[in-house]
Amino acid sequence: MDMQPLVKTAVWKCVNCQRHKPRLARQLMGNLSAVRVTPNGLFVAADLDYTGPFNLRISKGRGQKSLQGYIALFICLNTKAIYLEAVGDLTSATFLLALRRFLNAQGNCTHLYNDNRTTVRGADAELRAMFCDTSAFYADVAPKLTENGISWTFIPPTTPHYGGI
């Protein structure tokens, strides 16, 4: 008679044995996207995220008012270098200005990913409306992106690990 199944069952049901020798879960790591593992230049593939709002001051001194502003964060997917750009608000015009300054400072960017975290999930309906054919934002942004040869990718909601960092 084989005692091994009986011993395994007894050890499995024993609370003290399970506490002292727990079975560890092993997380499988997904494959990295081709954009992240292909050697390219700096900021050829970048991740875009907004942070804020912050109080920004135009100049030093007493009595100067602070304005509410945001920071556009561009992260290189190959080297994880960052580029920060201060923006005044979240309109398409200020985004285009920040994108133009980023392209002038860092060179050509071919892939731009937008990190879709829970902070922007509330604005998901507005983002979908922006990129529809009838949207004014899409009409402003799409020609500029195609003019520079940039492909813009939105990753699925609640998956920050999917395409960006």
Side-chain angles (χ1 to χ4, degrees):
M1 182 169 156
D2 191 16
M3 297 292 288
Q4 191 174 4
L6 288 173
V7 172
K8 282 187 177 182
T9 304
V11 170
W12 179 256
K13 289 182 179 179
C14 179
V15 175
N16 289 331
C17 296
Q18 291 301 317
R19 278 192 193 147
H20 295 296
K21 189 181 175 188
R23 182 176 289 178
L24 300 176
R26 298 226 159 95
Q27 182 85 22
L28 294 176
M29 183 177 169
N31 295 332
L32 294 175
S33 62
V35 174
R36 290 189 60 187
V37 296
T38 306
N40 286 325
L42 194 61
F43 288 105
V44 171
D47 188 24
L48 168 68
D49 200 6
Y50 277 92
T51 183
F54 294 103
N55 289 329
L56 303 175
R57 292 182 120 183
I58 307 274
S59 62
K60 290 183 178 181
R62 297 176 79 187
Q64 298 295 325
K65 290 185 178 181
S66 63
L67 304 172
Q68 184 177 4
Y70 298 88
I71 294 177
L73 177 67
F74 294 92
I75 304 171
C76 177
L77 293 179
N78 289 330
T79 62
K80 295 186 179 76
I82 61 170
Y83 178 81
L84 303 174
E85 188 67 48
V87 292
D89 53 11
L90 298 175
T91 62
S92 62
T94 56
F95 167 72
L96 288 174
L97 292 173
L99 180 66
R100 184 180 299 153
R101 288 190 297 266
F102 167 70
L103 292 175
N104 287 338
Q106 298 300 329
N108 193 14
C109 178
T110 59
H111 299 285
L112 191 61
Y113 289 87
N114 187 13
D115 201 5
N116 201 357
R117 295 188 181 200
T118 55
T119 55
V120 295
R121 193 186 320 162
D124 185 42
E126 184 178 344
L127 288 172
R128 288 180 194 271
M130 284 183 192
F131 289 100
C132 290
D133 292 333
T134 58
S135 175
F137 183 81
Y138 181 81
D140 289 344
V141 171
K144 296 292 184 185
L145 293 176
T146 56
E147 174 185 308
N148 293 323
I150 299 173
S151 65
W152 193 353
T153 306
F154 280 95
I155 63 174
T158 66
T159 56
H161 62 281
Y162 204 74
I165 294 178

